[in-house]
Amino acid sequence: MPGKFVLNRSGTQFMFNLKAGNHETILTSERYTSKQAAEGGIASCKTNSGTDSRYVRKASTSNEPYFVLTAANGQTVGRSEMYSSTVAMENGVASCKANGPAAPTKDET
């Protein structure tokens, strides 16, 4: 089952999640002030998610690995969840690479 982007509204703001085929969230976007801006974020995710150099691997203050997807201009497109291991985080990156470039969008706004 293919992944998908789910576009949501939170009050007056918009955001999206990239979900894998098993419905698990791979990536959560920043919050946007308009639906059009959130749709631009989805387009950026599609463009950048297939490129390994766009992923910044990090660790939280409690040493939990996670990743950040960035655009060509260095701005953050979205963040992953916290993972239990580096291997699990790399699996998340691989899932984002596999699902992100061609995932359809489900508009739930």
Side-chain angles (χ1 to χ4, degrees):
M1 182 185 295
K4 64 183 172 189
F5 289 98
V6 180
L7 179 61
N8 290 301
R9 184 179 195 137
S10 177
T12 61
Q13 296 183 319
F14 297 84
M15 51 90 61
F16 65 85
N17 287 305
L18 173 59
K19 296 195 174 255
N22 65 0
H23 307 289
E24 291 291 321
T25 298
I26 306 167
L27 185 81
T28 300
S29 75
E30 303 296 306
R31 295 199 182 268
Y32 297 92
T33 57
S34 71
K35 183 176 178 178
Q36 182 179 8
E39 290 169 336
I42 290 171
S44 180
C45 190
K46 287 182 176 192
T47 299
N48 293 291
S49 60
T51 305
D52 190 68
S53 63
R54 298 284 188 252
Y55 292 89
V56 180
R57 279 94 166 159
K58 296 186 170 198
S60 70
T61 55
S62 57
N63 211 29
E64 295 171 302
Y66 70 101
F67 65 86
V68 175
L69 176 64
T70 59
N73 63 5
Q75 287 192 314
T76 297
V77 177
R79 288 181 166 77
S80 72
E81 65 180 0
M82 298 296 165
Y83 289 96
S84 59
S85 68
T86 302
V87 170
M89 178 197 62
E90 290 299 336
N91 288 339
V93 169
S95 183
C96 198
K97 286 180 184 178
N99 287 284
T105 300
K106 181 177 181 185
D107 188 340
E108 294 185 349
T109 58

